[in-house]
Amino acid sequence: MNRRRLFCVRSHSRLERIQLSAARRLPKLIFSPEGSEKLFTHHHTGRIMEGNKKANPSSRDLISTLPDDVLCYILSFLTTKEAALTQVLSKRWSNLFQLVPILDFDDSLLLNRRMGREQTKVFMEFVERVLFARVKNSSPVKKASFKISHLDLHERFDRVPLWVKRVMDLGASELCLSFGGDFKYVSFVLLYCDLKSKALVNLRIGRVYLIHHDGTFPDSVSHTLTTLFLDSVQFTYGKPGFEAILSAFPNLQNLRLHESKEWYYWDGSVSSPTLKRFVYRRDDDTSGPKPCVKFDTPGLAYLEYSDVVAAKYENLRLDSLVEARLDLLLTAGQIMRKNAPDNVGFVPGDVSTLFMGIRNVKILCLSPDALDTLYYRGGEIPVFNNLISLSLGSDRPHGSPYIFKKLLPSLLLKAPNLQTLIIKGLGHYVKKGWEVGWHLRLSLDDMYDALSSSGLKVLQINGYEGTGEELSHMECFLGTLPHLEMVRVTHKGVDDGERRRLVNDLLCLTRASPKCKVQVMKESA
């Protein structure tokens, strides 16, 4: 049996599963419950849809009455392999497949894994048939995704650049390239020139070496690209490094960098007049602190920064910054050697310059590690005159309760226009027993002074459990904040009786503000 015939036979046996998969992914408004039940059911004879008509003459093939653009929209929810199976239905479906604007190729979705290496050849031939037909028929592509895990290095280097070029020539505005497999270091080498495009707007690449052929700064590759996500990507061999990214995509507005173990290549410097959003996250601290971090980004409005605290921060041009989310991790040396003289092992890592650079933000989110960093290495907290929303903690609470209670009054006093305070994991910060080992006492006078002078209007507590310690602190908040208008409390899954207890306990607390309302909601999964 040749491959084409084998493909068609398997298509019939798998079509019902694919139709059901499409039905689950589609918006509910496309089909009525009755219609969808008729559309995605067939008899044990294996005859699809047509068999249903013969068995039940009154039933209608509702899907065939839909216009072509709606059917193409339906097919776009499937992978390209799944969408291709619909070609066996009729000539109309074969033509529709060529009009689907989204291509999604994934070599992990192999038709028969028992075929081994032969199956990768089938996958490559399938991709090239689809792309060849698109070029032949001049069928445009809006979005293309290639998830490559099973092709060997030779097959990747030989085929993938040609595939990318074809979808670029077909006008793709979105491209995703993701490489996996058992390759520890080299997964794929991608040249900047492979991404040459006049239509590309959104690009995501993972686990590749992105280089210029001669190691110099590349010319502009795409003036249209505005969004770039680099997931474990080495930018080039040595210099020019990260600057080459900004040179290749001069109008970049949204940049996201994710670095994982053994894939740390950002040097800590960003310089761009067009960048509006920048997200940097790395998985662990195995590579140690960066020598220096610079944000020369006068147009940046959103910053999400998760990293080990750098040795120093400088050239911070963050004049337009509206929202900052910081997750800063200190090394043991940065904690223990912060006050040591230079000649006996001082470890650098001062974040006071960083907090001064973001002092004009309106929204600030600090993780538990960022709070620890601010306490140990932050110096004097600057005044945040524009700050209206402050979020502290995380969905996985950790960190020092002492530091949380020590910094909260200072942060409230340094944000005179603060309107919303969000505390994630209050139960962690108020539980008993944390004082052991600290040998320190906290004065509650600072807390009461900060709360009573605050103009806070909204207090949100996430992950509330209703313990006695939490209720005691809620009593302090509600009984001291004079301008509070809304208290939102989200709790984890409990029964209705437990929820009523939480509500009643909170409603019984004395409130300093007569306008204060209490709202209790269940946390979404």
Side-chain angles (χ1 to χ4, degrees):
M1 182 181 295
N2 61 36
R3 292 177 185 166
R4 181 174 179 82
R5 185 178 177 188
L6 178 64
F7 182 80
C8 292
V9 171
R10 287 177 178 153
S11 300
H12 284 286
S13 65
R14 295 171 181 262
L15 194 54
E16 181 189 25
R17 177 175 58 82
I18 293 167
Q19 290 174 324
L20 288 169
S21 174
R24 285 193 296 267
R25 297 180 220 177
L26 288 173
K28 294 181 180 179
L29 57 87
I30 292 183
F31 300 112
S32 65
E34 296 81 5
S36 60
E37 182 178 356
K38 294 176 183 177
L39 286 171
F40 297 101
T41 306
H42 70 82
H43 292 275
H44 296 294
T45 58
R47 295 184 177 274
I48 304 167
M49 293 192 215
E50 190 66 31
N52 279 345
K53 289 182 179 180
K54 293 179 179 180
N56 184 6
S58 63
S59 65
R60 293 183 300 159
D61 179 11
L62 297 181
I63 199 169
S64 296
T65 65
L66 298 174
D68 288 355
D69 55 346
V70 174
L71 293 178
C72 286
Y73 178 72
I74 294 172
L75 291 177
S76 69
F77 284 84
L78 304 175
T79 66
T80 299
K81 186 197 79 172
E82 292 171 331
L85 297 179
T86 63
Q87 295 181 95
V88 302
L89 297 176
S90 67
K91 184 178 180 180
R92 183 192 180 197
W93 282 94
S94 180
N95 294 333
L96 286 173
F97 173 67
Q98 300 298 328
L99 300 177
V100 178
I102 297 176
L103 298 179
D104 184 2
F105 299 105
D106 186 348
D107 73 350
S108 66
L109 302 176
L110 304 179
L111 296 176
N112 188 346
R113 296 181 183 276
R114 290 176 295 181
M115 294 179 63
R117 297 303 305 169
E118 183 70 16
Q119 185 59 68
T120 63
K121 295 180 180 179
V122 173
F123 171 78
M124 290 187 293
E125 291 175 0
F126 170 66
V127 173
E128 291 180 356
R129 281 200 307 272
V130 171
L131 294 179
F132 176 79
R134 288 300 180 102
V135 173
K136 180 180 178 181
N137 299 322
S138 299
S139 301
V141 173
K142 179 181 178 182
K143 179 180 179 180
S145 175
F146 297 90
K147 301 180 182 70
I148 309 298
S149 299
H150 293 79
L151 302 189
D152 60 31
L153 290 178
H154 174 74
E155 291 167 338
R156 296 180 183 194
F157 296 155
D158 186 47
R159 303 294 183 97
V160 176
L162 297 176
W163 299 344
V164 171
K165 184 179 185 307
R166 284 184 176 175
V167 296
M168 293 293 98
D169 291 341
L170 289 168
S173 60
E174 296 184 46
L175 174 65
C176 175
L177 287 173
S178 178
F179 295 88
D182 299 326
F183 307 102
K184 185 175 181 180
Y185 296 107
V186 178
S187 293
F188 184 69
V189 175
L190 183 66
L191 297 177
Y192 282 100
C193 58
D194 292 333
L195 300 171
K196 197 80 173 178
S197 171
K198 295 182 179 180
L200 190 62
V201 175
N202 191 323
L203 173 63
R204 174 171 181 164
I205 51 179
R207 292 198 67 189
V208 305
Y209 287 92
L210 183 60
I211 65 173
H212 192 43
H213 62 87
D214 60 2
T216 62
F217 277 84
D219 297 329
S220 175
V221 174
S222 175
H223 282 277
T224 57
L225 189 77
T226 58
T227 301
L228 177 62
F229 182 10
L230 302 177
D231 185 2
S232 301
V233 171
Q234 181 175 355
F235 310 126
T236 188
Y237 297 120
K239 292 187 176 181
F242 185 69
E243 293 89 345
I245 294 285
L246 303 176
S247 174
F249 309 111
N251 295 315
L252 201 60
Q253 297 182 13
N254 306 317
L255 176 60
R256 182 183 181 95
L257 302 180
H258 173 238
E259 296 187 331
S260 56
K261 189 175 182 180
E262 299 171 351
W263 288 84
Y264 298 117
Y265 298 107
W266 180 50
D267 62 3
S269 178
V270 180
S271 179
S272 170
T274 62
L275 205 60
K276 296 181 179 179
R277 292 176 61 91
F278 179 69
V279 178
Y280 174 80
R281 302 192 65 85
R282 77 176 187 177
D283 290 342
D284 54 53
D285 60 346
T286 56
S287 65
K290 294 177 175 62
C292 182
V293 168
K294 304 176 183 179
F295 293 114
D296 183 12
T297 50
L300 195 69
Y302 178 90
L303 172 64
E304 186 174 337
Y305 175 49
S306 176
D307 197 4
V308 175
V309 173
K312 62 179 179 179
Y313 295 87
E314 62 183 28
N315 194 22
L316 301 179
R317 296 184 61 195
L318 299 167
D319 309 328
S320 303
L321 196 62
V322 174
E323 181 173 354
R325 296 176 175 268
L326 302 183
D327 182 17
L328 304 171
L329 184 65
L330 288 170
T331 65
Q334 287 174 327
I335 296 175
M336 302 303 295
R337 309 297 296 175
K338 67 171 184 173
N339 296 320
D342 291 341
N343 59 347
V344 290
F346 169 76
V347 177
D350 188 348
V351 296
S352 59
T353 304
L354 175 61
F355 277 87
M356 280 294 293
I358 66 170
R359 67 187 182 279
N360 292 322
V361 296
K362 294 182 178 180
I363 303 171
L364 178 61
C365 302
L366 300 177
S367 73
D369 290 325
L371 287 172
D372 290 354
T373 297
L374 181 60
Y375 175 77
Y376 284 110
R377 290 282 188 160
E380 180 69 20
I381 299 176
V383 177
F384 291 85
N385 282 314
N386 298 332
L387 190 64
I388 59 175
S389 177
L390 174 64
S391 176
L392 305 176
S394 74
D395 296 330
R396 296 185 297 275
H398 59 281
S400 165
Y402 171 81
I403 290 176
F404 174 83
K405 291 186 176 182
K406 188 72 174 178
L407 289 181
L408 180 58
S410 299
L411 289 168
L412 291 176
L413 292 172
K414 295 290 186 175
N417 298 306
L418 188 66
Q419 297 182 12
T420 301
L421 174 63
I422 302 171
I423 300 177
K424 300 178 180 180
L426 178 64
H428 170 78
Y429 295 115
V430 301
K431 63 184 179 182
K432 291 183 178 180
W434 62 266
E435 302 92 340
V436 177
W438 283 92
H439 307 294
L440 296 169
R441 292 184 179 181
L442 281 171
S443 172
L444 293 180
D445 292 341
D446 292 341
M447 179 70 76
Y448 285 114
D449 289 344
L451 293 175
S452 61
S453 62
S454 173
L456 203 66
K457 295 181 179 180
V458 178
L459 174 65
Q460 180 169 321
I461 308 295
N462 292 351
Y464 186 74
E465 297 176 355
T467 64
E469 292 84 1
E470 287 177 298
L471 190 62
S472 176
H473 279 71
M474 292 299 294
E475 183 179 15
C476 175
F477 289 141
L478 272 66
T480 312
L481 290 166
H483 303 287
L484 201 58
E485 297 179 3
M486 175 60 70
V487 175
R488 296 192 185 98
V489 175
T490 67
H491 64 88
K492 297 181 180 179
V494 293
D495 57 36
D496 292 340
E498 182 69 10
R499 182 181 180 276
R500 283 193 295 269
R501 182 188 70 82
L502 296 179
V503 173
N504 290 335
D505 288 346
L506 292 172
L507 291 177
C508 290
L509 297 178
T510 302
R511 307 173 208 178
S513 170
K515 298 181 179 180
C516 182
K517 298 180 180 180
V518 177
Q519 186 179 51
V520 179
M521 302 173 291
K522 185 176 180 179
E523 282 189 0
S524 57

